[in-house]
Amino acid sequence: MNDDGTGASRGGTERLLALIGEYRDTVRDALDDEQYALLLARLAALADAAPDDTRAVRRALQGVRLALLPLPLDHPVRAALDSVRLVAAPPGPSAVAGARELMARLVIPEPSPGTVAGGADGDSAQDQLLRAPALSGDEARARCGDTAPPPELIRLTDAGGGDRYPEFQFGTGDGSPCAVVLEVNRVLLADIDPWGAAAWWLSGNSWLGGTPASLLGRLPDRELVGAATALAEGD
């Protein structure tokens, strides 16, 4: 293979998919039922993407990466996510082919009626995200000058149907939404996948050296944007 930027870029995607296949048993063990089902759905979306539709492939790859965030930081697949750097080359058809091959190797669990995802105590990945400090819909609106919160803000829905806006998204001065948070959320497609975006902000990141939400104001904004963009690039 010609070792140019494109080859290296596409090699990153191929390596990630290969690692998921190589460590498929430990990936399954490390994720709860809900998290694993989400990963399978995201891989299926990548496998179904049109190989020549770069935007669709890139978005599907981003979904796969976000679904892998709950893995422990020392897991080889999780470590590969944090080692990615921003690249310009678009993903190639090999990403779709790799996802199709990978899906054939993964165990597709049968649904278990009456089983609560996340364990006996019902502590799912979404439950954990909902425990983070958050504002209600009315409080978020007040922080936005009594106007509707922008769609870039992460809006989660609790079991009662109420809106919850993770508090880290708002500044400490006048309390309005942080510009860098809105920029990162656009990269993470928070309006489409708020749970995945919330998981990125509230999970440990070995590349950044901590949880992105805790590093707001401590790291240059460009580093946060770069880390999110590297994830979204999917290569």
Side-chain angles (χ1 to χ4, degrees):
M1 179 184 292
N2 184 22
D3 188 18
D4 59 12
T6 301
S9 169
R10 293 176 180 173
T13 294
E14 294 168 1
R15 176 173 174 268
L16 177 63
L17 294 174
L19 284 172
I20 297 172
E22 180 180 353
Y23 293 96
R24 58 189 179 277
D25 292 337
T26 60
V27 167
R28 177 64 189 96
D29 291 342
L31 300 177
D32 65 30
D33 291 346
E34 178 182 332
Q35 293 166 341
Y36 189 65
L38 178 62
L39 173 60
L40 291 177
R42 297 289 173 74
L43 284 169
L46 176 58
D48 290 341
D52 58 349
D53 187 339
T54 299
R55 182 175 182 182
V57 173
R58 190 181 296 284
R59 179 169 292 189
L61 278 168
Q62 177 181 346
V64 171
R65 291 173 179 275
L66 290 172
L68 292 168
L69 287 177
L71 289 172
L73 288 177
D74 59 353
H75 191 283
V77 176
R78 183 63 170 82
L81 292 181
D82 288 346
S83 68
V84 169
R85 294 297 185 269
L86 176 61
V87 293
S94 60
V96 175
R100 292 173 180 172
E101 179 181 347
L102 178 58
M103 287 295 292
R105 301 174 61 194
L106 296 179
V107 175
I108 311 298
E110 293 292 332
S112 301
T115 300
V116 178
D121 59 359
D123 187 25
S124 69
Q126 292 189 358
D127 292 329
Q128 296 174 32
L129 293 173
L130 287 171
R131 285 203 299 269
L135 305 181
S136 68
D138 288 342
E139 291 171 330
R141 185 181 181 90
R143 294 284 189 96
C144 296
D146 289 326
T147 61
E152 294 91 343
L153 283 178
I154 296 169
R155 176 174 61 87
L156 307 179
T157 304
D158 61 27
D163 290 337
R164 293 179 61 81
Y165 290 82
E167 191 174 23
F168 71 82
Q169 301 180 103
F170 301 88
T172 57
D174 61 2
S176 61
C178 298
V180 64
V181 171
L182 296 178
E183 184 176 358
V184 167
N185 285 351
R186 281 192 289 271
V187 172
L188 297 177
L189 304 178
D191 58 327
I192 298 173
D193 185 11
W195 295 102
W200 185 86
W201 279 107
L202 297 170
S203 300
N205 187 299
S206 60
W207 177 13
L208 293 174
T211 302
S214 70
L215 298 173
L216 285 166
R218 297 167 54 194
L219 282 182
D221 291 351
R222 65 179 181 278
E223 292 192 26
L224 292 168
V225 175
T229 305
L231 179 73
E233 288 291 330
D235 290 300

